[in-house]
Amino acid sequence: MPSYAPPTKDMMFVLQDVLDVQNCDIPGYEDLDAEFISSVLNESGKLAGNLLAPLNATGDAEGCHLENGIVRTPQGFKDAFDQVKAGGWPSLDCDPEYGGQGMPFVIASAVTEMFSSANMAFSMFQGLTHGAYSAIWAHGSDAQKQKYLPKMTNCDWTGTMNLTEPHCGTDLGQMRTKAIPQSDGSFQVTGQKIFISAGDHDMAENIIHLVLAKIAGAPEGIRGVSLFIVPKFMVNDDGSLGKRNNLSVGKLEEKMGIHANPTCVMNYDGATGFLVGQEHKGMRAMFTMMNEARVGVGVQGYSQAETAYQNALAYSKDRLQGRDVTGVKNPNGPADPLIVHPDIRRNLMEQKSFIEGARALTFWGAQLIDRAHRLKDQDADGLVSLMTPVIKGFLTDKGFDMCVQAQQVYGGHGYIEEWGMSQFARDARITMIYEGANGIQGLDLVGRKLGQDGGKHVMAFFDLVRAFISENKDINEAFGKDFLEPLKKASKDLQGAAMYFMQNGIKAPNNALAGSYDFMHMFGHVCLGLMWARMAKASIQVLKNDKSDAAFYETKIATGRYYMQRQLPATGLHLARIQSGADPVMVLEAANF
Amino acid sequence: MPSYAPPTKDMMFVLQDVLDVQNCDIPGYEDLDAEFISSVLNESGKLAGNLLAPLNATGDAEGCHLENGIVRTPQGFKDAFDQVKAGGWPSLDCDPEYGGQGMPFVIASAVTEMFSSANMAFSMFQGLTHGAYSAIWAHGSDAQKQKYLPKMTNCDWTGTMNLTEPHCGTDLGQMRTKAIPQSDGSFQVTGQKIFISAGDHDMAENIIHLVLAKIAGAPEGIRGVSLFIVPKFMVNDDGSLGKRNNLSVGKLEEKMGIHANPTCVMNYDGATGFLVGQEHKGMRAMFTMMNEARVGVGVQGYSQAETAYQNALAYSKDRLQGRDVTGVKNPNGPADPLIVHPDIRRNLMEQKSFIEGARALTFWGAQLIDRAHRLKDQDADGLVSLMTPVIKGFLTDKGFDMCVQAQQVYGGHGYIEEWGMSQFARDARITMIYEGANGIQGLDLVGRKLGQDGGKHVMAFFDLVRAFISENKDINEAFGKDFLEPLKKASKDLQGAAMYFMQNGIKAPNNALAGSYDFMHMFGHVCLGLMWARMAKASIQVLKNDKSDAAFYETKIATGRYYMQRQLPATGLHLARIQSGADPVMVLEAANF
């Protein structure tokens, strides 16, 4: 069975050496000294490694079960959930006004990665609750906040988001769920929602469903959608639970993975709901949830790769197979360990260089989110908003790929469920789909984010890369050659693609849309190239003053060099694909496929 | 539930218009006129679409079960197997001396693709039997052939191959299974074998296991391995079945996919076995099976992509979601079909252009195998031997990727087992692993095949590409620009990589081995580029004389253009990765990962 060891040291490196969190000017960050961060990471890491990880494979094998309308989670889940709650982990970055601990999002992100690596299906209960919490926090009335948030902050009540219906997912304008106003100001919500993660379960006393629906007489399409709080049990004014609401689980889906998280068909049959924010402005509120959720899904993507990698690495050191062609490495054994073989190394380096780059990108993104929220910095908000589809789309595509590669290290054993590598791939697969399938992320990036505020944010990104290159060109020759030159080339490719879209997308939008997926990947590569350059720089700086942990920092530089030499050149391929334009993609009549 | 329609017309196109099978000089090919081929494809296609495809999802859900030592296959499998046998399909290309029909391998390959697309787990019973048949046919004694082949030809008895043991897969030199000579010339075989597909089941009256084992006193390592026939039931001299042999199923593995094919742990406890071929020369015989099996696995890889593509395409025409940005296409519906969206097109074109190229490559490979066998053409043998790891490794990696892409078209529904798209990805995943994990295919290609016979075969491949380009440069301007130029560039990249290996791999073999996986993919792209150029040429030729089916041939050209513009440029990226050499891959100490 696979195991998970929290990568605390790698996280500390990003937070301290690269992002230098304690010394930046974001309110709340001044508390993030090394001792504090490490105590948070060590404690959450213990929980992840010792409590959640052992439940991952058993949860997958057992799955959830629908019994008399109630979903039963796998053995051990409720106990573990209680322990996570007892540690106060769900409330880490929640508002102290509602019982939260008010910590920066960047720290919560590190904890999220660990919990997700250890047991993604389990961590979703908490993640979705946080998303629902955020939507109510941002858009709910004071009374609603007082009523729901204190219980949601630490997952005494969990949350869900209800968007999809059988006939519409991406295109929510087609929504049929109806909300009929009642005389007491509430609404009667009727309709069917599908793909509702954690739609029901036995780990919390109440579930707060956030449901998109159309109020009778609303405008057509997406502009007529409103958001409602629809609790499983009604909440009395004194906070006690009242009667069961008119909603039920219609079905539990059989899925490729995340078996331990129940994906429900939810039926709302005149359920009592309460409008959140303004009528017909539900999408705005839902996007609050979704943007947060998208970053979270990006974390899930690489978090699965992290745990898969750890196990593949251990296997590659343990499994004796064949001999090193350059000379026997394990003369007393029947064969050398797998890790001596160049193609196994290639496989492991792909994983390692991706995962560490992904982590740095995500933590940087979280820092930008903190900057946006805590300093009301609109530039930071614009930049992270630009990078959100990249974090979601690129990190989940690659995260899944890396799980598949890790599985490959095991040979035949990788295909046998008992070894656990299949689960990482099966679980990671959903991250490419939910919270907006990755094709939609590409569209969001190219069709919306690129031109947002007159293209200001993408320009800021390019400026940032350019400034980094020019400010650091004198670090040393190797850094220039190994990091800055490839970054410059990749960034130029990305600019070339943006330029192509500007020149050709205006006359024919399909020229841009046909390249949106490639652009998302290209952007992801440039982001990871930038993060590796930053990590290499930080490592060089540490090594200048302190060689006591030289192997760690030299390994960072070597891993970064791998990324720059073997992964980053993908931007050239993506550019060529983009520049071939819409014609090769669109030329066929649908009937001729 | 997904469906499958045999791509008979696409197959006919490759066989007739591209490979022109009837008019080439291979004995037996003279019978391959259009009417004959189409009757074979239509009949096998009916069986695949109507009988085997409907059992695919049910077989996956039900799986196999071990009951009192006997494996039970899913409902409907035995009946279907009987119908396939009644049609004589397993014996298609078997030796008439043993009841086979003696048809060319190229035709059998087309039938294999269909059966595998329709139901991969089912088709494996037959595929493995054919592999065992071939090994006995090539290496068994006359008496053994007489005894076993007539029953194996048409799957009255099925076959298995037993290589892997718990502690060794790729590195078979570590094998522990022992064979002790008996006074009657037989052997007592004792040991445990794992990952034995179709190791036991209820569809045939006997199972002929081919087992690798070491005879007591054999040389160390791989040079001391012998091959044995170990029947489940002993076979009397009159052909009737005798007593049960001392072998049993130790366990049935739970796998990511191919649930309907039992993957068994096989225990041989002094089982009676019969030596095939010479003592200690078992690997040679096993390679006969394995080379055939590797081409077969390549077919499995793209065959899963084919059926996944068919369903994704149908879904993309059926599912209404969003509007075409260039103008509404379905004004009377609530939204336009998915297929109007450029990113969905990109996804579908990736699949379509890969699958059709893969089919052409495989059929060409099968033609080369026929040429090698039927004309004793050693050049053809060398060329197809060079391409075998490419067909296995590249077509399965990409085949799996394309299943994942097809799943993506379905959005959330792609993740729900009920829709069937998950199964294609889960089933296809094994093709990257078994019959030599794809990393091993890369090693085989670079470490063995590239230099075989002094590099003669890879030179022949380059000559062939060069000759094609020079012979066809006057077809027309568009063909030159759209097909020959990209092919020339990609082939030059491939030669650059081979040159890099020659110059740098001799002084340090890791410089070649660290690039072996990329080289395999690069080679695959060039092969598919060549096949698309051949398909485009054939289409242009047909269109010159006959425009009655213009849309079909123009679609071929457009699909090929997509491949040349959007997939083939990957060779540049692979070359850059290869030319970065061993250093980025090998620089870390194992302890520093």
Side-chain angles (χ1 to χ4, degrees):
Chain A
M1 203 190 280
S3 64
Y4 171 68
T8 315
K9 192 173 178 184
D10 286 328
M11 289 180 166
M12 291 289 284
F13 166 71
V14 175
L15 294 171
Q16 292 203 280
D17 297 327
V18 183
L19 302 179
D20 195 15
V21 288
Q22 197 190 352
N23 298 314
C24 76
D25 57 346
I26 305 171
Y29 272 51
E30 61 281 357
D31 300 332
L32 302 181
D33 57 48
E35 199 186 345
F36 177 77
I37 300 177
S38 96
S39 75
V40 170
L41 297 186
N42 284 332
E43 289 309 309
S44 57
K46 270 186 223 161
L47 217 55
N50 303 335
L51 179 69
L52 306 187
L55 293 173
N56 195 42
T58 56
D60 177 63
E62 186 183 338
C64 294
H65 296 281
L66 184 61
E67 291 172 7
N68 302 320
I70 291 166
V71 173
R72 304 284 172 204
T73 53
Q75 211 176 349
F77 267 50
K78 170 131 182 51
D79 278 356
F81 202 64
D82 288 343
Q83 287 187 56
V84 170
K85 282 164 56 181
W89 296 105
S91 70
L92 218 56
D93 64 332
C94 291
D95 189 342
E97 203 177 322
Y98 306 105
Q101 299 172 61
M103 282 190 209
F105 183 58
V106 76
I107 293 299
S109 298
V111 175
T112 299
E113 184 202 307
M114 286 181 179
F115 287 3
S116 177
S117 278
N119 195 326
M120 181 171 139
F122 180 93
S123 72
M124 289 171 64
F125 290 97
Q126 179 183 331
L128 286 154
T129 306
H130 198 287
Y133 159 93
S134 297
I136 296 174
W137 186 87
H139 302 279
S141 66
D142 282 343
Q144 286 171 339
K145 292 191 211 179
Q146 293 298 344
K147 195 165 199 167
Y148 299 104
L149 295 188
K151 288 285 194 178
M152 294 177 77
T153 291
N154 204 33
C155 285
D156 289 330
W157 299 348
T158 65
T160 69
M161 48 201 292
N162 292 243
L163 290 79
T164 306
E165 300 183 4
H167 62 291
C168 69
T170 300
D171 185 4
L172 289 172
Q174 295 184 56
M175 187 174 294
R176 290 178 194 151
T177 298
K178 291 224 164 343
I180 300 167
Q182 305 297 299
S183 54
D184 63 356
S186 73
F187 289 78
Q188 275 206 351
V189 177
T190 300
Q192 187 177 67
K193 295 287 181 177
I194 63 170
F195 303 156
I196 309 310
S197 295
D200 192 59
H201 59 87
D202 50 9
M203 306 201 302
E205 51 188 3
N206 202 6
I207 299 173
I208 308 304
H209 300 287
L210 288 185
V211 182
L212 287 181
K214 285 190 169 179
I215 298 171
E220 282 288 297
I222 201 72
R223 289 190 176 76
V225 168
S226 305
L227 181 66
F228 298 89
I229 291 171
V230 186
K232 178 176 173 182
F233 289 100
M234 303 307 294
V235 179
N236 298 321
D237 287 339
D238 64 357
S240 65
L241 296 187
K243 75 173 176 59
R244 183 75 154 77
N245 208 346
N246 292 327
L247 58 93
S248 59
V249 179
K251 187 184 168 193
L252 205 54
E253 305 282 6
E254 297 282 342
K255 311 184 297 289
M256 186 176 184
I258 51 166
H259 294 156
N261 196 287
T263 304
C264 301
V265 173
M266 296 299 298
N267 293 324
Y268 296 91
D269 301 305
T272 302
F274 307 99
L275 183 68
V276 179
Q278 290 174 271
E279 283 189 2
H280 318 321
K281 302 282 186 196
M283 286 310 291
R284 253 186 62 208
M286 200 43 100
F287 267 112
T288 302
M289 273 176 89
M290 240 172 349
N291 276 331
E292 177 183 317
R294 284 175 178 180
V295 173
V297 174
V299 173
Q300 289 182 334
Y302 82 81
S303 78
Q304 292 308 289
E306 164 71 32
T307 185
Y309 166 71
Q310 288 188 14
N311 287 282
L313 176 61
Y315 190 81
S316 77
K317 292 179 177 179
D318 191 52
R319 175 86 170 172
L320 305 178
Q321 211 76 183
R323 291 294 187 187
D324 186 337
V325 291
T326 64
V328 168
K329 288 289 184 300
N330 178 32
N332 299 321
D336 290 338
L338 283 179
I339 197 169
V340 304
H341 302 299
D343 190 61
I344 295 289
R345 290 270 182 150
R346 171 199 61 77
N347 188 325
L348 294 170
M349 290 300 289
E350 297 279 315
Q351 296 176 59
K352 182 175 171 63
S353 65
F354 162 72
I355 294 159
E356 295 180 19
R359 175 179 298 123
L361 175 62
T362 312
F363 287 10
W364 178 44
Q367 189 184 29
L368 288 170
I369 289 172
D370 280 327
R371 182 174 292 282
H373 290 171
R374 292 171 179 238
L375 286 171
K376 305 281 168 233
D377 180 335
Q378 298 210 339
D379 290 338
D381 191 56
L383 186 58
V384 76
S385 158
L386 171 74
M387 293 196 308
T388 295
V390 177
I391 290 173
K392 198 284 185 182
F394 181 69
L395 300 192
T396 60
D397 274 1
K398 287 282 174 186
F400 171 72
D401 281 352
M402 294 302 119
C403 290
V404 170
Q405 288 207 187
Q407 192 183 14
Q408 195 73 10
V409 172
Y410 280 69
H413 301 284
Y415 200 65
I416 307 295
E417 292 294 351
E418 191 184 347
W419 289 80
M421 300 305 285
S422 159
Q423 187 189 350
F424 299 132
R426 288 187 291 99
D427 284 1
R429 182 67 185 88
I430 189 59
T431 65
M432 298 159 67
I433 299 173
Y434 63 15
E435 305 306 336
N438 285 355
I440 296 299
Q441 305 300 325
L443 284 188
D444 179 44
L445 176 64
V446 170
R448 195 177 302 146
K449 301 293 174 63
L450 214 49
Q452 207 163 42
D453 300 325
K456 180 177 153 188
H457 307 299
V458 73
M459 288 306 165
F461 178 83
F462 288 131
D463 284 346
L464 194 146
V465 173
R466 211 176 293 120
F468 181 86
I469 292 170
S470 96
E471 284 161 18
N472 295 293
K473 64 181 187 306
D474 298 326
I475 287 191
N476 66 45
E477 204 181 317
F479 182 73
K481 189 179 146 292
D482 293 342
F483 290 90
L484 298 183
E485 277 178 30
L487 178 61
K488 192 171 177 180
K489 157 78 172 67
S491 172
K492 208 181 136 207
D493 285 345
L494 188 66
Q495 289 180 61
M499 189 67 75
Y500 177 86
F501 290 158
M502 267 173 44
Q503 289 169 344
N504 300 278
I506 292 162
K507 52 187 186 208
N510 283 349
N511 279 322
L513 298 178
S516 58
Y517 210 89
D518 283 280
F519 190 77
M520 177 178 78
H521 271 250
M522 212 174 176
F523 208 140
H525 278 299
V526 175
C527 285
L528 261 58
L530 173 64
M531 296 322 292
W532 270 118
R534 291 177 66 177
M535 288 193 276
K537 175 190 169 183
S539 301
I540 292 167
Q541 282 171 335
V542 172
L543 286 169
K544 219 181 279 175
N545 304 316
D546 179 2
K547 296 215 163 41
S548 62
D549 198 7
F552 177 81
Y553 292 100
E554 282 161 5
T555 298
K556 288 286 172 213
I557 297 169
T559 308
R561 221 162 50 216
Y562 183 93
Y563 196 89
M564 305 313 269
Q565 287 189 283
R566 289 216 167 209
Q567 304 236 48
L568 198 55
T571 56
L573 173 59
H574 290 300
L575 179 62
R577 287 166 56 95
I578 287 168
Q579 288 177 335
S580 74
D583 179 64
V585 176
M586 302 303 292
V587 69
L588 291 186
E589 292 294 322
N592 291 336
F593 266 80
Chain B
M1 202 188 283
S3 64
Y4 171 69
T8 314
K9 191 172 178 185
D10 286 327
M11 289 181 166
M12 291 289 283
F13 166 71
V14 175
L15 294 170
Q16 292 203 281
D17 296 326
V18 184
L19 301 178
D20 195 14
V21 288
Q22 197 190 354
N23 297 314
C24 75
D25 57 348
I26 304 171
Y29 273 51
E30 62 280 358
D31 299 333
L32 302 179
D33 57 49
E35 200 186 343
F36 177 77
I37 300 178
S38 99
S39 76
V40 170
L41 297 184
N42 284 332
E43 289 309 310
S44 57
K46 270 186 222 161
L47 217 54
N50 303 337
L51 179 69
L52 306 187
L55 293 174
N56 194 42
T58 56
D60 177 62
E62 186 183 337
C64 294
H65 297 280
L66 184 61
E67 292 172 5
N68 302 320
I70 290 165
V71 174
R72 303 284 172 205
T73 53
Q75 210 175 353
F77 267 49
K78 167 125 183 59
D79 278 356
F81 202 64
D82 289 342
Q83 286 187 58
V84 169
K85 283 164 56 182
W89 295 105
S91 69
L92 217 57
D93 63 333
C94 291
D95 188 343
E97 203 176 323
Y98 305 104
Q101 298 173 61
M103 283 189 207
F105 183 58
V106 76
I107 293 299
S109 297
V111 174
T112 298
E113 183 201 308
M114 287 180 178
F115 286 2
S116 177
S117 278
N119 194 325
M120 182 172 138
F122 180 93
S123 72
M124 288 171 64
F125 290 96
Q126 179 183 331
L128 286 155
T129 306
H130 198 285
Y133 159 93
S134 296
I136 297 174
W137 185 86
H139 301 279
S141 66
D142 281 345
Q144 286 170 338
K145 292 191 210 179
Q146 293 298 343
K147 194 165 200 167
Y148 299 104
L149 295 188
K151 288 285 194 178
M152 294 177 76
T153 291
N154 205 33
C155 285
D156 289 330
W157 300 348
T158 66
T160 70
M161 48 201 291
N162 292 242
L163 289 80
T164 306
E165 299 183 6
H167 62 290
C168 69
T170 300
D171 185 3
L172 289 171
Q174 295 184 55
M175 187 174 295
R176 291 180 193 147
T177 298
K178 292 223 166 341
I180 300 168
Q182 305 297 301
S183 55
D184 64 354
S186 73
F187 288 78
Q188 275 205 351
V189 177
T190 300
Q192 188 176 66
K193 296 287 182 177
I194 63 170
F195 303 156
I196 309 310
S197 295
D200 192 61
H201 58 87
D202 50 9
M203 306 200 305
E205 52 187 5
N206 202 6
I207 299 174
I208 309 305
H209 300 288
L210 288 185
V211 182
L212 286 182
K214 285 190 170 181
I215 298 173
E220 282 289 296
I222 201 73
R223 289 190 176 76
V225 168
S226 304
L227 181 68
F228 298 89
I229 292 173
V230 186
K232 177 177 174 181
F233 288 100
M234 303 306 295
V235 179
N236 299 321
D237 286 342
D238 65 356
S240 65
L241 296 187
K243 76 175 175 61
R244 184 76 154 74
N245 207 344
N246 291 328
L247 58 92
S248 59
V249 179
K251 188 184 167 193
L252 206 55
E253 304 281 6
E254 296 282 342
K255 310 183 299 289
M256 186 176 184
I258 51 165
H259 294 157
N261 196 288
T263 303
C264 300
V265 173
M266 296 298 299
N267 293 325
Y268 295 91
D269 302 306
T272 302
F274 307 98
L275 182 69
V276 179
Q278 288 176 270
E279 282 190 4
H280 318 321
K281 302 282 185 198
M283 287 311 291
R284 253 185 63 208
M286 201 44 103
F287 267 112
T288 302
M289 273 175 90
M290 241 173 348
N291 276 332
E292 176 183 317
R294 284 175 177 179
V295 173
V297 173
V299 173
Q300 289 183 333
Y302 81 81
S303 77
Q304 292 308 289
E306 164 70 33
T307 184
Y309 166 71
Q310 288 188 15
N311 287 281
L313 176 61
Y315 190 81
S316 76
K317 292 179 178 179
D318 192 51
R319 175 86 171 172
L320 305 179
Q321 210 77 182
R323 290 293 187 188
D324 187 337
V325 291
T326 65
V328 169
K329 288 290 184 298
N330 178 31
N332 299 322
D336 290 339
L338 282 180
I339 197 169
V340 304
H341 302 299
D343 190 62
I344 295 288
R345 290 272 182 149
R346 171 198 60 78
N347 189 325
L348 294 170
M349 288 300 288
E350 297 279 315
Q351 297 176 58
K352 182 175 171 65
S353 65
F354 162 73
I355 294 159
E356 294 180 19
R359 175 178 298 124
L361 174 62
T362 312
F363 287 10
W364 178 44
Q367 189 183 30
L368 286 170
I369 289 172
D370 280 328
R371 182 174 293 282
H373 289 171
R374 292 173 179 238
L375 286 171
K376 306 282 169 232
D377 180 334
Q378 298 210 338
D379 289 338
D381 191 55
L383 186 58
V384 76
S385 159
L386 171 73
M387 294 197 307
T388 295
V390 177
I391 290 173
K392 198 285 185 181
F394 181 70
L395 299 193
T396 60
D397 274 1
K398 287 282 173 186
F400 171 72
D401 281 352
M402 294 302 120
C403 290
V404 170
Q405 288 207 186
Q407 192 184 13
Q408 195 72 10
V409 173
Y410 280 68
H413 301 285
Y415 200 65
I416 307 295
E417 291 293 352
E418 191 184 348
W419 289 79
M421 299 305 284
S422 159
Q423 186 188 351
F424 298 132
R426 289 186 292 98
D427 285 0
R429 182 67 185 87
I430 189 59
T431 65
M432 297 159 68
I433 299 174
Y434 63 17
E435 305 307 335
N438 285 355
I440 296 298
Q441 304 301 324
L443 284 188
D444 179 44
L445 177 64
V446 170
R448 195 176 302 145
K449 301 294 174 62
L450 214 49
Q452 207 164 41
D453 300 325
K456 179 176 154 190
H457 307 299
V458 74
M459 289 304 165
F461 179 83
F462 288 133
D463 284 346
L464 194 146
V465 173
R466 211 175 293 120
F468 181 87
I469 293 170
S470 95
E471 282 161 17
N472 295 292
K473 65 182 187 305
D474 298 326
I475 287 191
N476 65 46
E477 205 180 319
F479 182 73
K481 186 178 148 295
D482 293 342
F483 290 91
L484 298 183
E485 279 179 28
L487 178 60
K488 193 172 177 179
K489 157 78 173 65
S491 173
K492 207 179 138 211
D493 286 343
L494 188 66
Q495 289 180 60
M499 188 66 76
Y500 177 85
F501 290 157
M502 265 172 46
Q503 289 169 342
N504 300 278
I506 291 163
K507 51 187 186 205
N510 283 349
N511 279 323
L513 298 179
S516 57
Y517 210 88
D518 283 280
F519 190 78
M520 176 178 79
H521 270 251
M522 212 175 177
F523 209 141
H525 278 300
V526 175
C527 285
L528 261 58
L530 173 64
M531 296 321 293
W532 270 118
R534 291 178 66 177
M535 288 193 277
K537 175 190 168 182
S539 300
I540 292 167
Q541 282 171 334
V542 171
L543 285 168
K544 218 182 280 175
N545 303 317
D546 178 3
K547 296 215 165 37
S548 62
D549 198 7
F552 177 81
Y553 292 100
E554 282 161 5
T555 297
K556 289 285 171 214
I557 296 169
T559 308
R561 221 162 50 215
Y562 183 93
Y563 196 89
M564 304 314 267
Q565 288 188 282
R566 289 216 167 209
Q567 305 236 47
L568 198 55
T571 57
L573 173 59
H574 290 299
L575 179 62
R577 287 168 55 95
I578 287 168
Q579 288 177 336
S580 74
D583 179 65
V585 175
M586 302 304 291
V587 70
L588 291 187
E589 292 295 321
N592 291 336
F593 266 82

